[in-house]
Every structure is written in structure tokens, then in C-alpha cells.
Amino acid sequence: MTDDEPCQVIRILVFSSLYPHEGEPTLGVFVRNRLQHLISDTDVSATVMAPVPWFPFKSEIFGRYGRAARASRQSVDGGIPVYHPRFLVIPKIGMHLTPLFMAWSARRMLKKMQKHGVTFDLIDAHYLYPDGVAAAKLAKRFKLPFIVTARGSDVTQIGAIASARSKIVSACRAARHVITVSQSLKDRLVEMGVDAGHVTSLRNGIDSERFAPVADARMVVCNETGLDATKKIVVFAGWLIPRKRVDIVIEAISKLPDVQGVIVGDGPLKSDLLEQVEQLQLTNRVAFVGQKQPEEMPRYLSAGDVFCLPSEREGWANVMLESMACGVPVVARGVDGAVELIQKDNVGRLVAGDDPVKYAEAIRSVLDENSSKSEVREYAKRFGWRATSLGQLNLFKKAIQPNQPGLDESGES
């Protein structure tokens, strides 16, 4: 904010089940990052309400439910109050009831906060289902305007389910405005029946101070993994789940004899991927390093010569921009946000479909291009956070004005 602008503090309640906590410190870091930059760039004041599934046991053997149980009821994250109300999840039929249970748990906590004088001007919800649908119920109950952000699979995957799609469209229409992190997500929402004028695309940004080339990264990572520091390295980072298509990365590496791979992340497909590596006789060329904390990621990204992301769906994959900020070009499937990000050959390649041969060819093409790290990094630095922060602020200011469309809609599903 400039010194001569009037100070208008907008108090927002950030509502999303995707937010880091003690059990899952990397969960929803994209929500946290955007919020932190919003607060840094504007006069917005925020409180986070991040519901987690109720579960009685904290052991890791219970997977994400055990990790959710480790979330504290209340904490402070970088000066931002964070609350984690518990909501009930019922197996198999839970998807249809989760928005209702999530709204119930949040409503109880919000009523307690109001009794203690904590009030808000706006609900800022992230992820359309179940979070956005639950936020619509909260907004109606507390007579608050709300804005919701679509982030990827909530549109491309959940939005393809008829019962969820109708609830998503209803919630979007009830919102004062809808934000998408890429133009492609906006286009899909419009196809689903949301008015185009009701949706604004605000991409994610990059913190180029935090994500920057790490000088000794290659040597450190090769010492850790046993890889050859003199050979080229392809890096993948993300959840080891089907839609990320890590198998394509591994298969592509098998077709490039002088190339190695570093797989950063964890997930249910890890054992299958390890078996694939063994079958392809790549155990000395592909290393799995597990999930890493956000502050460790610049080192692992900087160790690569190419970052590869063949995901079937990605609204706006922050990790691609983070890789570029570390000076590493990207090879990605030509879908969603990747099409908007990779627009010059010196920063990467887009691949159509899921043929590993095409990914191998694209990786080889990028390696042959031999772009300088400084060129790739300068391109990434164009995608700063400030424009996104100011875009949010503008939408928030409009949303809290009386008699705006959206608030009088039912928000019921």
C-alpha cells in the first residue's frame, strides 16, 4: 500500500481444509503462501479456520487421519491465528455429507469467536468442494459475503461428478466472486454454468528470494543419494499418486542412458514406483529422497538440470515456477496452468499425452538447449506475488460493499 492511500483494514476469515499443521506441515502450502504475501502486500488482517477430520488416534499407521489428529486446536502461524475445528467423516458416503459436517464444526467455533468479539468482513474460502460448499453455508448463517478460490482438481476431477458439480455451481453463484489460479480453470467453470463475469483468474506467484539457485545443491544431493554428480539430473517433486504420473518420469529416464532422476515426495504409489525402477534396472540412476520440508526444496530443485511434471491435471503447479526460480527449466504435460507458464523454449517444453518417448525427447531437447540458469530465473521472477495480492484486495473491497450479487443466493446444496 502506498503512504497516501487511505488505510482500510479488511478482516478476512480464510476457510480451507488445505492448510499446514503439525501432522502435515506441507499440506496446502499454496494457500498459506498466498495468504502470507497478501498480508505482506496489503492491509488485510486474517484469521485461518482449517477444519480437519476428527479421528481418535495420532499414529502414522492411520495415514492422513492419524496425521490430522495431531493438528492443534489453536495455534499461531507467522502471526496469523489458526484454528482447526474437527469435523466428522463417514467412510464411503462421506463425500456427500462432508460439506455439511465441515460447516457445522466451523459454525460452532465461529460462534464462540463472535462471543469473544472476534468478527470478520469476509470469508475467503479455498477449494470448491467440500470447502467452498461449506463456506456458502457459513456465509448464509452469519450473513457474511464470501469469495472462493478454485485450485485444480476441485474443478477438473470433483467437478466431473454430477452430484458434486451441482453443489459447486450453487456455491459459486452464491459467492460474491470466484477466483481461479489459471485461465483454464475459469474456462471449465464457465462450461459448468458459472457466469464468466463472476470469475477472475489470479495466478499463484513466486517468492524469488526464497527460491533461488543453491550453489552446492548438486554435490549435496548426489552425496545423499549416491548419484553421479557429473551426469544430468531430472527432478520430480510431488505426491506419489496416480494423477501425477511419476511412472512416465521413470520410463522417460530409462530411455536416456546418460540421465539420472531424483524423486522428491511420498505417497501410496511409492512401492509400485520402486518396483518399476527395479524392473527397468534403474536402481543406480533413480533415487527416492522422500517428502521434504518447504525450506529444503530449493536445494533439491537446484540439483536438477530439468524438472519434469507429467501430471494429468494441475490448476497451477507452484513447483514448476519454484523450479524455474531456481534456474531449472521444466518439461510438463501441456494442460491447465502449464500452458500459461511455459511460453518460451528456453524455460521448458510442453508435451501432449502420456507417451514416455515424447517426454524423453522433450527432456533431451531442453538439455540440448542448455539455457543459462540466470535466463530461466529471470523469466520466473516476472511472476511475482504483488499483482495477485492487489488483485485479491480489489475483489475483497468490492465484495464487502452492500447490495452486491451473490450474498442473497441460498448457498444451499
Side-chain angles (χ1 to χ4, degrees):
M1 304 289 288
T2 60
D3 293 337
D4 55 354
E5 285 182 311
C7 179
Q8 181 185 9
V9 177
I10 299 176
R11 299 160 299 176
I12 67 170
L13 177 67
V14 176
F15 183 81
S16 179
S17 61
L18 300 176
Y19 201 85
H21 57 72
E22 294 87 341
E24 294 197 78
T26 62
L27 176 69
V29 292
F30 41 84
V31 176
R32 175 207 254 167
N33 288 343
R34 195 176 89 171
L35 176 60
Q36 289 178 333
H37 286 280
L38 172 67
I39 291 174
S40 174
D41 292 333
T42 72
D43 288 323
V44 168
S45 169
T47 296
V48 173
M49 188 173 291
V52 297
W54 176 86
F55 197 74
F57 308 111
K58 299 181 179 180
S59 173
E60 186 63 36
I61 65 173
F62 297 106
R64 72 181 185 92
Y65 293 106
R67 293 191 291 272
R70 297 200 290 271
S72 59
R73 297 278 177 170
Q74 181 178 351
S75 63
V76 177
D77 176 33
I80 303 170
V82 180
Y83 297 85
H84 291 291
R86 267 58 176 175
F87 66 93
L88 182 63
V89 173
I90 301 177
K92 295 185 179 180
I93 65 171
M95 176 181 176
H96 304 289
L97 297 175
T98 296
L100 181 61
F101 291 145
M102 187 180 284
W104 278 351
S105 68
R107 184 176 65 186
R108 290 196 301 270
M109 183 165 285
L110 193 51
K111 287 175 70 174
K112 290 179 182 179
M113 295 168 71
Q114 284 189 333
K115 287 181 180 179
H116 289 85
V118 180
T119 60
F120 303 98
D121 302 305
L122 175 83
I123 297 175
D124 175 32
H126 294 251
Y127 209 70
L128 297 182
Y129 193 97
D131 310 58
V133 176
K137 297 178 184 298
L138 281 179
K140 183 184 180 187
R141 171 63 178 80
F142 291 94
K143 294 181 171 56
L144 285 171
F146 80 102
I147 282 178
V148 63
T149 294
R151 292 195 159 273
S153 59
D154 50 349
V155 178
T156 59
Q157 184 177 4
I158 300 176
I161 303 170
S163 59
R165 181 168 60 248
S166 64
K167 295 179 175 68
I168 287 171
V169 172
S170 177
C172 288
R173 289 172 177 170
R176 285 286 171 88
H177 207 77
V178 180
I179 297 172
T180 62
V181 295
S182 69
Q183 180 63 37
S184 63
L185 290 179
K186 174 178 178 177
D187 294 341
R188 294 194 191 195
L189 276 180
V190 172
E191 291 173 2
M192 289 165 57
V194 181
D195 184 80
H198 200 55
V199 186
T200 296
S201 176
L202 292 176
R203 53 144 181 89
N204 289 331
I206 184 66
D207 184 341
S208 58
E209 294 184 4
R210 179 179 173 190
F211 287 91
V214 178
D216 61 347
R218 179 182 294 270
M219 192 59 65
V220 170
V221 172
C222 286
N223 286 340
E224 174 191 345
T225 59
L227 296 178
D228 186 345
T230 66
K231 292 185 177 180
K232 301 297 185 180
I233 294 176
V234 173
V235 176
F236 167 88
W239 287 108
L240 308 185
I241 55 178
R243 71 177 174 86
K244 294 291 186 178
R245 299 305 308 269
V246 191
D247 60 303
I248 293 177
V249 180
I250 295 170
E251 184 77 24
I253 291 171
S254 73
K255 303 180 183 305
L256 299 166
D258 58 337
V259 172
Q260 306 167 110
V262 173
I263 309 298
V264 185
D266 205 347
L269 287 187
K270 184 172 182 179
S271 59
D272 292 341
L273 296 170
L274 286 169
E275 183 177 346
Q276 181 190 11
V277 166
E278 187 172 350
Q279 290 177 344
L280 292 173
Q281 299 181 344
L282 296 175
T283 52
N284 64 332
R285 287 207 282 136
V286 176
F288 290 75
V289 298
Q291 186 175 348
K292 298 299 176 182
Q293 297 299 315
E295 60 271 17
E296 299 177 277
M297 287 306 299
R299 179 190 306 125
Y300 289 92
L301 295 174
S302 295
D305 297 283
V306 181
F307 181 85
C308 187
L309 189 69
S311 299
E312 294 172 350
R313 301 178 304 276
E314 291 285 357
W316 179 280
N318 291 3
V319 69
M320 292 194 297
L321 198 49
E322 292 164 356
S323 177
M324 290 181 182
C326 292
V328 179
V330 173
V331 169
R333 189 185 297 250
V335 295
D336 304 322
V339 177
E340 298 171 42
L341 180 59
I342 303 174
Q343 296 190 353
K344 290 188 175 183
D345 283 349
N346 67 330
V347 300
R349 299 288 189 279
L350 295 171
V351 180
D354 53 10
D355 184 352
V357 173
K358 292 183 178 179
Y359 282 88
E361 292 172 349
I363 290 169
R364 174 59 63 197
S365 175
V366 169
L367 293 174
D368 291 345
E369 179 90 16
N370 197 28
S371 301
S372 70
K373 283 186 175 292
S374 60
E375 286 180 346
V376 179
R377 176 168 166 76
E378 286 303 312
Y379 180 86
K381 287 170 67 176
R382 295 164 41 188
F383 296 85
W385 275 107
R386 184 167 175 77
T388 298
S389 296
L390 296 181
Q392 289 176 84
L393 179 63
N394 182 52
L395 292 176
F396 291 170
K397 286 180 176 179
K398 291 179 180 178
I400 63 176
Q401 297 301 313
N403 302 318
Q404 293 296 307
L407 182 60
D408 294 329
E409 298 287 342
S410 70
E412 293 298 330
S413 55

